[in-house]
Amino acid sequence: MNTFMLTIASPDGNKYSDQAQMLTVRGIDGDLAILAGHISFITALKPCDCKVILPDGTEKVGTIDGGLLTVSEKGTTLLSGSFNWK
């Protein structure tokens, strides 16, 4: 499966900065999944669990207290006031 550059950042610093197969989060208009080649956009995020599928297929789950998601050709960035891996 194709991958994309994903950065997850909070005021405590970067929590993840590497390739990923998929990211799932809850936007203000509902749940969404990001895959390689996704159209560029920006959305606010609600507090939720955030699932990251790593390049090897393993899954990591973290929690956010809301935030901002930016998707572009250069990569995907999730900014949150609080992020914690489960």
Side-chain angles (χ1 to χ4, degrees):
M1 183 174 259
N2 292 335
T3 62
F4 61 96
M5 183 64 191
L6 172 63
T7 301
I8 300 173
S10 74
D12 298 330
N14 282 354
K15 303 297 183 171
Y16 185 84
S17 186
D18 206 344
Q19 296 293 309
Q21 285 187 23
M22 184 172 68
L23 169 69
T24 59
V25 290
R26 177 158 294 153
I28 57 171
D29 292 324
D31 293 343
L32 51 107
I34 306 301
L35 298 168
H38 198 288
I39 189 169
S40 297
F41 77 101
I42 298 174
T43 188
L45 300 174
K46 291 184 176 182
C48 66
D49 283 348
C50 160
K51 182 168 66 171
V52 178
I53 305 296
L54 303 176
D56 65 4
T58 59
E59 177 181 304
K60 289 183 83 171
V61 179
T63 58
I64 61 171
D65 65 353
L68 183 70
L69 181 70
T70 305
V71 180
S72 74
E73 291 177 5
K74 295 181 181 180
T76 298
T77 303
L78 189 160
L79 302 173
S80 181
S82 173
F83 181 91
N84 296 298
W85 292 111
K86 285 189 169 184

